[in-house]
């Protein structure tokens, strides 16, 4: 067969080519095998990681924020249930219809409805969209009860911050708010919690400064998701830890009382426990409602707060720096005694003014006080006596003493914008103003005017330190998670006890001796008697023109040019327990406006509630009784200034 | 009465043919298909529905088809080569008019009980007709230019029609399959060299045509090519398939994540996990060991096929066997290269494993022809 012969002849040729082909194919197989090895053996760990990243999402579980209490355990900041309604589109069917059904039960404004529909369209069908928040319980219950008829509409309970005391502690506790871009930039390594939508962090006050303790640590839930992000199951879960509860040193009753007493004024008051440094009350009036900020404040409310001349957003007790006026005189007296340039019995003659070079410095009492020793100088608040002391001792030693007493130094508290005040020195003036210090500057500083600035907190600390002779340090946090922090024993200031006794005697004279500037505000109960010092600080220079025209009555000036009224005090005189400072901005005379507030605060603190009428001078009792009958009462009219001590 | 013919007897006849059947290849086919059932069961989340069971029935039908075809004498199939080619060509033309659009290409004709892809049938018909041609042609003449032209025309006609669908992957498979048969038939290597150069020229022309008025490929085809060259350029778009499938394979590691434990496929990160990308599921769940094992099965199949071709003195049978083996090789090699990121995504299924009726029946039919050639080869 010729055909077969052909094939035989042809055979080897096909074989060779066939083997060549097989070889080529095996080569390709080799490449495929090499690639498998490369993917699955050499780089498998990298790919395993990528697959896990595909599959596993971490979901943070926000911790419950720590609560804030006053010293008696009364709530100042709590987490309140936030009733809200969410919708899941894939269960709801047509979102429009679902919202129609829902709007028969609760009110859904048109704008909100449009937002929800837009959000529902944009997000995946299984992602819950918030329909309504902050419902009251009745609305929430209505929706819950009807939930079988509302597929895809889910009532949820979340937590949101609430401040039950509203204005009373607004400056101390502060408030929380949604995380802003700036909050994120401020932190070097932002907690991933901050990325959670609707997460809230402290914006001011203790809420901000103790954010680290209050926030707690996030829990972590590892969830498996599919390619479109649907949660398939939870793989595991680590519970977070709730934030620590903070107990403040503030006594809510006293704090409320202080704000009531300051109502209607732009004012601040600080009450401090002289033994422990606990700040019993720290009031700044007017306050604001921190709850407004929690879910975004309306622009009308915001500009209202911002433009109020009484500056409700500012915590004046630590941020307000004022010329301390005559409340600075104890510092000057102690500086002079420590320097040995005088002794308590030396007298200075006050003719109503003092002349230095060709300048004349007036005493507040035009006719002069006559011969004044230290006790009388303080009692009558004689300016000339302290002009002379300041001239003798010089500014640097005064400022040094002020610093020892807590003025011009920063007191660390978990509060924002703490002012340092200002205790000037020669070097300071040269550095900042490029001018030499003048004797006149020292003389002004002698009565707490000129460059000297102090905050109400610093004045309260100064009073406490004078009262005890110890370096009392103020504190605001009394305990964390119901564990009390023991107060530290304040070290001795190292001031000669005889000097302190002389100054305290003067302060006692101010209040408890007839003709003292604070006599009208004395406490009659001997065991509770207070010692103090008034101050009236000028916010303007009295011009030569004004002098020529005669004495200007403070109340004739526009409000923002009137004098500040100040008073500092401690009580009881025999065994000091509390020190207090009060400043009423542009309030007029310290002894007439600020002293009664100081007395009332001390009595309230000492009696832990309203004191008996017998504690007040007989002449005042009727008025006090009337005021109590009216409580809680409308702001008092601003008392007219009667003296300028 | 003995069915066993004595050695040296020419060609078995009657039921005795079953003894000359290439059982090695049959067993390997069943093993590969078995892997397919297992994987389809896995990607369905541990369920016979909707793929695994139907795939088993199709394999059953396909295996029967193979047996039937194998029983028929190879002479008959030789005589059927030209009608099969012409019929397939007619179907390819018909699909232009009555075809169903799927995946952006016109490919299917709905025959009621199943959807026929004429291009699949053409792959085998082309091999048949070329084998028939070289069987007829005097081997002395195979390299003469005049005699090289007819097979080229026979190849270009269906290639052109498939390109119009447009299905670049299948067109390339047709061309390479034809080239393999011509290579085996003994066509001078010069032609292949020239063709390779020509192909380079065509590729260059095609690539430069992008964005011009005479653009030769569809936009999506250009995208596939550029995505293949750099999958990370568009990881969530067109490069998604390649990126996710390499992640799936790589994460399988040496021994895999366990049957039905593959997160990439179970969580739908893998595209077309039951068809073109089914190999990634296997790799993810059974690891390097699993993928190399399947590759081994396939390699054994082509080795046995090639051996059968080499030992067949019947020129038609030999060329047909070689051509079918090569086509089968191209299927799995291109599919694997594609899912491993070595070739562009061209839409070639993994033979006998990917879910799909048309390809399964055509392949089993082709192996029927191969078996027929084996059974009826001159001994």
């Amino acid at each position: 067969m010729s055909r077969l012969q052909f094939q035989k002849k042809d055979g080897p040729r096909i074989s060779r080519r066939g083997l060549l082909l097989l070889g080529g194919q095996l080569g390709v197989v080799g490449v495929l095998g090499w690639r498998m090895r490369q993917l699955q053996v050499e780089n498998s760990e990298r790919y395993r990681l990528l697959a896990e990243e595909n599959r596993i999402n971490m979901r943070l579980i926000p911790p419950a924020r720590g609560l804030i209490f006053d010293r008696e355990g009364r709530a100042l900041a709590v987490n309140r249930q936030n009733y809200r309604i969410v919708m899941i589109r894939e269960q709801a069917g047509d979102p429009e219809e679902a919202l129609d059904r829902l709007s028969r039960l609760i009110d859904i404004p048109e704008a909100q409805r449009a937002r929800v529909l837009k959000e529902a369209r944009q997000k995946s069908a299984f992602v819950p969209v918030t329909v309504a928040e902050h419902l009251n319980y009745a609305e929430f219950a209505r929706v819950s009860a009807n939930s079988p008829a509302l597929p895809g509409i889910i009532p949820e309970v979340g937590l949101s911050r609430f401040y039950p005391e509203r204005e009373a502690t607004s400056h101390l506790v502060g408030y929380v708010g949604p995380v802003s871009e700036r909050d994120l930039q401020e932190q070097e390594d932002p907690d991933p919690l901050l990325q959670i939508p609707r997460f809230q962090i402290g914006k001011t006050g203790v809420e901000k400064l103790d954010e680290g303790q209050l926030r707690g640590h996030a829990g972590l839930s590892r969830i498996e998701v599919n390619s479109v992000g649907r949660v398939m199951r939870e793989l595991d879960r680590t519970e977070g830890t709730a934030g620590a509860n903070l107990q403040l040193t503030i006594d809510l009753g006293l704090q409320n009382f202080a704000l009531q007493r300051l109502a209607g004024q732009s004012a601040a008051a600080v009450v401090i426990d002289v033994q422990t440094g606990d700040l019993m009350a720290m009031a700044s009036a007017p306050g604001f409602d921190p709850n407004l900020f929690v879910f975004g404040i309306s622009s009308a409310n915001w500009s209202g707060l911002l433009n109020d001349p009484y500056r409700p957003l500012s915590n004046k007790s630590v941020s307000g720096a004022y010329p301390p006026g005559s409340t600075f005189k104890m510092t000057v007296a102690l500086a002079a005694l420590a320097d040995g340039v005088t002794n308590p019995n030396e007298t200075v003659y006050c003719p109503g003014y003092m002349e230095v070079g060709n300048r004349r410095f007036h005493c507040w009492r035009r006719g002069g006080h006559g011969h004044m020793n230290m006790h009388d100088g303080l009692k009558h608040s004689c300016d000339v006596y302290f002009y002379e002391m300041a001239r003798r001792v010089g500014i640097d030693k005064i400022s040094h003493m002020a610093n020892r007493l807590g003025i011009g130094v920063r007191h660390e508290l978990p509060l924002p914008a703490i002012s340092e005040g200002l205790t000037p020195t020669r070097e300071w003036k040269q550095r900042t103003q490029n001018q030499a210090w003048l004797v006149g500057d020292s003389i002004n500083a002698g009565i707490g005017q000129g460059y000297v600035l102090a905050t109400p907190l610093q004045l309260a600390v100064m009073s406490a330190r004078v009262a005890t002779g110890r370096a009392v340090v103020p504190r605001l946090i009394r305990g964390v998670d119901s564990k009390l922090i023991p107060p530290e024993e304040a070290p001795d200031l190292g001031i000669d006890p005889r000097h302190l006794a002389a100054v305290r005697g003067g302060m006692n004279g101010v209040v408890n001796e007839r003709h003292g500037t604070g006599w009208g505000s004395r406490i009659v109960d001997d065991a509770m008697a207070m010692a103090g010092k008034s101050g009236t600080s000028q916010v303007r220079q009295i011009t030569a023109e004004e002098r020529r025209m005669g004495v200007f009555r403070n109340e004739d000036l526009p409000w923002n040019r009137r004098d500040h009224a100040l008073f500092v005090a401690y009580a009881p005189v025999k065994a000091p327990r509390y020190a207090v400072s009060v400043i009423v901005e542009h309030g007029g005379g310290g002894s007439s406006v600020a002293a009664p507030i100081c007395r009332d605060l001390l009595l309230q603190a000492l009696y832990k509630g309203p004191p008996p009428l017998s504690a007040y001078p007989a002449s005042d009792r009727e008025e006090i009784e009337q005021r109590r009958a009216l409580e809680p009462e409308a702001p008092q009219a601003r008392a007219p200034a009667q003296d300028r001590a | 009465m003995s069915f066993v013919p004595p050695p040296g007897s020419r060609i078995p006849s009657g039921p005795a043919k079953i003894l000359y059947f290439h059982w090695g290849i049959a067993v390997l086919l069943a093993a590969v298909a078995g892997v397919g059932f297992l994987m389809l069961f896995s990607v369905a989340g541990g369920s016979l529905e909707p793929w695994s069971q139907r795939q088993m029935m199709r394999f059953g039908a396909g295996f029967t088809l193979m047996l039937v075809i194998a029983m028929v004498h190879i002479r008959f199939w030789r005589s059927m080569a030209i009608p099969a080619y012409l019929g397939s060509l007619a179907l390819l033309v018909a699909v232009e008019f009555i075809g169903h659009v799927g995946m952006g290409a016109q490919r299917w004709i709905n025959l009621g009980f199943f959807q026929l892809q004429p291009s699949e049938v053409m792959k085998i018909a082309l091999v048949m007709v070329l084998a028939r041609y070289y069987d007829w042609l005097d081997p002395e003449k195979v390299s003469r230019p005049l005699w090289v032209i007819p097979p080229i025309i026979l190849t270009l006609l269906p290639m052109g029609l498939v390109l119009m669908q447009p299905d670049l992957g299948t067109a390339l498979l047709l061309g390479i399959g034809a080239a393999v048969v011509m290579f085996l038939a003994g066509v001078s290597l010069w032609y292949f060299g020239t063709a390779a150069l020509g192909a380079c020229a065509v590729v260059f022309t095609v690539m430069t045509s992008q964005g011009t008025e005479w653009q030769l490929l569809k936009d999506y085809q250009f995208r596939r090519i550029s995505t293949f060259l750099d999958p990370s350029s568009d990881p969530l778009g067109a490069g998604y398939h390649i990126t996710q499938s390499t992640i799936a394979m790589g994460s399988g590691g040496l021994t895999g994540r366990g049957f039905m434990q593959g997160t990439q496929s179970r969580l739908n990160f893998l595209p077309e996990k039951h068809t073109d990308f089914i190999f990634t599921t296997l790799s993810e769940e059974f690891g390097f060991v699993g993928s190399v094992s399947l590759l081994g099965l396939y390699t054994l199949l082509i080795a046995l096929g090639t051996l059968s071709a080499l030992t067949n003195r019947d020129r038609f049978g030999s060329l047909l066997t070689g051509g079918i083996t090569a086509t089968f090789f191209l299927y799995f090699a291109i599919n694997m290269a594609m899912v491993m990121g070595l070739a562009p995504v061209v839409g070639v299924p993994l033979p006998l494993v990917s879910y799909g009726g048309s390809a399964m029946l055509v392949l089993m039919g082709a192996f029927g022809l191969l078996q027929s050639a084996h059974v009826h080869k001159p001994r």
Side-chain angles (χ1 to χ4, degrees):
Chain A
M1 283 174 91
S2 65
R3 197 177 170 83
L4 256 172
Q5 277 170 348
F6 258 123
Q7 282 166 347
K8 274 175 183 161
K9 208 172 85 187
D10 201 38
R13 197 154 151 212
I14 296 183
S15 298
R16 206 186 319 121
R17 291 237 167 157
L19 284 174
L20 214 61
L21 185 69
L22 187 60
Q25 289 172 339
L26 290 179
V28 172
V29 166
V31 170
L32 292 174
W34 162 82
R35 175 69 172 164
M36 285 173 191
R37 205 187 108 80
Q38 188 190 40
L39 283 176
Q40 302 193 281
V41 180
E42 284 166 24
N43 296 329
S44 82
E45 267 177 46
R46 186 165 70 87
Y47 287 114
R48 175 67 63 98
L49 206 69
L50 286 171
E52 292 295 287
E53 276 175 19
N54 263 344
R55 159 176 102 97
I56 294 173
N57 272 8
M58 303 286 185
R59 185 165 289 188
L60 291 172
I61 310 167
R65 195 172 174 84
L67 310 180
I68 303 176
F69 301 104
D70 89 331
R71 65 185 297 119
E72 307 289 340
R74 287 169 290 209
L76 304 180
V78 295
N79 299 323
R80 199 165 62 160
Q81 282 178 332
N82 170 16
Y83 297 111
R84 62 170 178 252
I85 310 286
V86 299
M87 176 173 71
I88 298 176
R89 197 180 72 208
E90 66 175 4
Q91 294 168 18
D94 179 16
E96 299 241 12
E97 241 172 71
L99 288 182
D100 286 342
R101 281 196 296 269
L102 185 62
S103 60
R104 269 178 247 152
L105 297 169
I106 58 168
D107 181 43
I108 304 173
E110 199 49 47
Q112 194 177 334
R113 186 190 164 91
R115 175 190 63 77
V116 171
L117 288 174
K118 187 172 160 219
E119 213 175 313
R121 268 197 309 277
Q122 286 167 347
K123 290 186 175 166
S124 298
F126 55 86
V127 174
V129 173
T130 306
V131 178
E133 270 193 289
H134 305 296
L135 297 177
N136 61 38
Y137 185 72
E139 292 172 319
F140 183 74
R142 243 188 342 263
V143 177
S144 301
N146 286 293
S147 61
L150 297 165
I153 298 285
I154 296 164
E156 276 186 357
V157 183
L159 290 179
S160 75
R161 203 66 157 169
F162 179 65
Y163 304 101
E165 294 302 323
R166 299 174 192 277
E167 282 85 353
T169 51
S170 51
H171 296 114
L172 302 179
V173 172
Y175 51 83
V176 297
V179 182
S180 70
E181 207 48 45
R182 220 174 81 201
D183 294 329
L184 284 175
Q185 282 166 3
E186 269 176 20
Q187 313 210 350
E188 263 179 35
D189 183 22
D191 190 329
L193 265 174
L194 303 187
Q195 310 280 7
I196 295 182
R198 279 200 303 234
F199 190 77
Q200 301 203 308
I201 60 166
K203 293 291 190 176
T204 184
V206 173
E207 289 272 34
K208 180 187 170 99
L209 278 293
D210 271 337
E211 172 74 25
Q213 294 194 70
L214 289 166
R215 186 188 297 162
H217 295 284
L220 201 61
S221 162
R222 294 201 318 141
I223 50 175
E224 186 177 87
V225 295
N226 72 0
S227 59
V228 290
R230 181 193 295 273
V231 178
M232 306 306 281
R233 64 193 167 122
E234 186 174 69
L235 298 172
D236 52 48
R237 184 188 184 105
T238 33
E239 294 297 340
T241 47
N245 295 335
L246 295 184
Q247 190 177 33
L248 303 189
T249 56
I250 297 295
D251 181 318
L252 184 60
L254 191 63
Q255 176 82 6
N256 271 323
F257 178 78
L259 271 156
Q260 233 170 61
R261 257 334 246 109
L262 299 177
Q265 313 266 23
S266 177
V270 175
V271 182
I272 187 171
D273 183 321
V274 302
Q275 303 298 333
T276 59
D278 283 2
L279 291 160
M280 306 294 290
M282 215 177 188
S284 178
F288 59 90
D289 185 353
N291 294 305
L292 290 177
F293 288 84
V294 176
F295 286 96
I297 186 166
S298 75
S299 62
N301 277 335
W302 172 244
S303 61
L305 289 172
L306 218 53
N307 296 328
D308 190 330
Y310 283 18
R311 307 192 314 285
L313 292 175
S314 158
N315 182 7
K316 299 178 187 96
S317 52
V318 295
S319 309
Y322 307 90
S326 302
T327 59
F328 196 59
K329 286 175 178 166
M330 285 79 83
T331 309
V332 178
L334 285 171
L337 290 171
D339 198 36
V341 294
T342 187
N343 67 64
N345 299 321
E346 188 199 355
T347 57
V348 171
Y349 181 72
C350 168
Y353 60 88
M354 179 171 138
E355 271 179 345
V356 177
N358 54 3
R359 261 192 84 182
R360 183 174 275 211
F361 294 86
H362 289 273
C363 186
W364 66 269
R365 189 171 195 181
R366 273 350 208 18
H369 288 93
H371 293 279
M372 291 273 115
N373 64 9
M374 182 171 283
H375 182 91
D376 291 336
L378 282 169
K379 175 179 163 187
H380 299 289
S381 200
C382 173
D383 289 342
V384 170
Y385 179 87
F386 289 98
Y387 290 155
E388 175 60 18
M389 293 303 132
R391 191 188 63 75
R392 287 189 198 167
V393 76
I395 188 61
D396 289 354
K397 284 174 181 155
I398 293 176
S399 284
H400 179 65
M401 179 55 75
N403 294 157
R404 285 170 82 185
L405 293 174
I407 294 171
V409 292
R410 194 183 146 86
H411 299 292
E412 289 303 331
L413 294 176
L415 292 174
I418 296 177
S419 168
E420 233 177 63
L422 178 60
T423 44
T425 59
R426 289 162 196 282
E427 182 270 330
W428 170 84
K429 190 179 178 195
Q430 192 66 51
R431 176 162 45 84
T432 59
Q433 320 222 331
N434 204 22
Q435 283 172 4
W437 187 265
L438 305 172
V439 182
D441 294 331
S442 292
I443 288 172
N444 266 331
I447 59 160
Q449 296 283 163
Y451 297 112
V452 184
L453 294 173
T455 65
L457 172 69
Q458 289 171 341
L459 293 177
V461 170
M462 180 269 289
S463 310
R465 291 187 179 179
V466 169
T468 57
R470 293 179 178 279
V472 179
V473 176
R475 62 174 199 157
L476 192 55
I477 306 296
R478 182 162 184 255
V480 177
D481 268 340
S482 68
K483 261 192 294 238
L484 295 185
I485 303 165
E488 278 171 43
E489 174 90 14
D492 199 277
L493 277 172
I495 297 174
D496 190 325
R498 286 168 300 176
H499 300 170
L500 284 170
V503 167
R504 289 179 198 144
M507 288 177 77
N508 186 43
V510 167
V511 182
N512 297 320
E513 289 171 15
R514 207 167 283 274
H515 307 303
T517 56
W519 168 251
S521 300
R522 67 193 179 280
I523 292 171
V524 177
D525 184 344
D526 218 26
M528 299 291 183
M530 83 171 181
K533 181 73 195 79
S534 57
T536 304
S537 68
Q538 290 168 6
V539 292
R540 72 204 159 95
Q541 205 76 55
I542 297 173
T543 61
E545 179 75 6
E546 283 166 352
R547 258 185 220 300
R548 208 163 37 76
M549 302 260 299
V551 179
F552 240 90
R553 280 160 53 87
N554 194 54
E555 56 269 30
D556 294 338
L557 291 166
W559 174 77
N560 64 358
R561 291 183 63 202
R562 291 180 202 165
D563 299 336
H564 294 318
L566 295 98
F567 203 86
V568 298
Y570 64 87
V573 170
K574 286 169 185 158
R577 184 84 178 85
Y578 299 111
V580 62
S581 75
V582 168
I583 174 160
V584 180
E585 286 187 358
H586 313 294
S591 45
S592 57
V593 175
I597 302 176
C598 270
R599 172 197 61 196
D600 292 349
L601 284 173
L602 282 173
L603 282 175
Q604 191 82 14
L606 290 166
Y607 284 101
K608 302 200 185 307
L613 280 177
S614 59
Y616 295 95
S619 55
D620 287 1
R621 285 176 194 163
E622 202 180 330
E623 189 206 323
I624 304 275
E625 214 171 2
Q626 276 171 6
R627 201 170 67 207
R628 281 195 190 162
L630 288 172
E631 264 167 16
E633 45 133 34
Q636 264 195 299
R638 275 166 215 155
Q642 276 154 10
D643 63 358
R644 316 188 62 206
Chain B
M1 181 173 162
S2 165
F3 289 117
V4 185
S9 141
R10 290 269 173 88
I11 288 167
S13 61
K17 284 177 180 177
I18 204 88
L19 296 168
Y20 290 85
F21 210 66
H22 202 314
W23 284 109
I25 286 179
V27 167
L28 282 171
L29 289 175
V32 170
V35 171
F37 305 152
L38 207 63
M39 294 329 295
L40 289 172
F41 179 78
S42 170
V43 294
S47 160
L48 288 172
E49 292 296 329
W51 300 308
S52 193
Q53 194 165 9
R54 262 181 256 176
Q55 183 86 338
M56 289 180 192
M57 284 157 59
R58 281 169 185 166
F59 180 72
F63 202 85
T64 314
L65 181 70
M66 179 181 79
L67 288 178
V68 170
I69 291 177
M71 290 301 128
V72 178
H73 200 284
I74 190 71
R75 275 184 315 226
F76 173 75
W77 297 119
R78 186 168 59 202
S79 65
M80 286 304 292
I82 293 167
Y85 177 77
L86 292 176
S88 302
L89 211 56
L91 280 174
L92 274 178
V93 175
V95 85
E96 280 297 308
F97 300 105
I98 57 167
H100 287 266
V101 176
M103 308 290 289
Q106 288 180 334
R107 287 181 188 175
W108 307 334
I109 290 178
N110 199 338
L111 292 184
F113 60 98
F114 89 119
Q115 291 159 340
L116 183 73
Q117 291 185 42
S119 57
E120 294 283 338
V121 184
M122 180 48 96
K123 281 177 201 156
I124 306 306
L126 181 61
V127 169
M128 281 172 81
V129 82
L130 289 177
R132 173 80 184 80
Y133 174 79
Y134 284 108
D135 179 50
W136 165 80
L137 190 66
D138 183 347
E140 304 285 336
K141 297 179 183 166
V142 288
S143 288
R144 294 192 188 154
L146 188 67
W147 297 105
V148 173
I149 291 170
I152 290 180
I153 292 172
L154 286 173
T155 308
L156 287 182
L157 270 176
M159 269 182 83
L161 285 168
V162 170
L163 268 177
M164 278 164 64
Q165 284 189 355
D167 185 349
L168 183 65
T170 308
L172 284 175
L173 276 180
L174 283 172
I176 300 171
V180 166
V181 177
M182 290 169 77
F183 174 79
L184 287 176
V187 177
S188 167
L189 290 174
W190 287 105
Y191 290 103
F192 293 99
T194 315
L197 276 177
C200 287
V202 167
V203 167
F204 180 77
T205 317
V206 165
M207 292 313 286
T208 48
S209 78
Q210 188 175 6
T212 62
E213 281 177 18
W214 48 277
Q215 187 165 305
L216 292 170
L217 293 181
K218 299 279 178 186
D219 277 338
Y220 84 90
Q221 290 171 321
F222 275 119
R223 249 192 330 273
R224 278 183 179 182
I225 293 169
S226 64
T227 304
F228 158 66
L229 294 175
D230 183 13
S232 58
S233 66
D234 186 12
L236 292 175
Y240 180 81
H241 289 186
I242 294 172
T243 310
Q244 292 299 338
S245 77
T246 45
I247 289 177
M249 286 197 67
S251 71
L254 192 62
T255 54
R257 311 199 68 170
F259 185 50
M260 306 220 298
Q261 301 295 314
T263 59
Q264 286 283 99
S265 51
R266 201 164 50 74
L267 300 172
N268 283 329
F269 287 104
L270 287 182
E272 307 189 32
K273 56 184 179 181
H274 64 294
T275 56
D276 290 359
F277 280 82
I278 194 160
F279 184 61
T280 50
T281 303
L282 174 93
S283 309
E284 187 186 20
E285 300 191 347
F286 295 105
F288 181 68
V289 172
S291 23
V292 164
S293 301
L294 185 63
L295 185 63
L297 288 179
Y298 279 132
T299 310
L300 226 61
L301 259 174
I302 58 159
L304 289 181
T306 310
L307 221 62
S308 170
L310 290 179
T311 54
N312 199 338
R313 280 175 294 151
D314 175 37
R315 192 164 161 82
F316 175 74
S318 176
L319 288 174
L320 183 67
T321 305
I324 287 171
T325 308
T327 304
F328 184 77
F329 165 78
L330 287 175
Y331 261 103
F332 81 77
I334 290 181
N335 178 279
M336 286 185 173
M338 169 179 95
V339 301
M340 290 192 288
L342 291 176
V345 178
V346 285
V348 175
L350 189 62
L352 303 178
V353 177
S354 285
Y355 180 75
S358 214
M360 166 78 87
L361 283 180
V362 169
L363 267 172
M364 292 307 286
F367 274 100
L369 293 174
L370 188 148
Q371 293 280 16
S372 174
H374 185 79
V375 171
H376 299 102
K377 71 178 171 186
R379 281 160 221 271

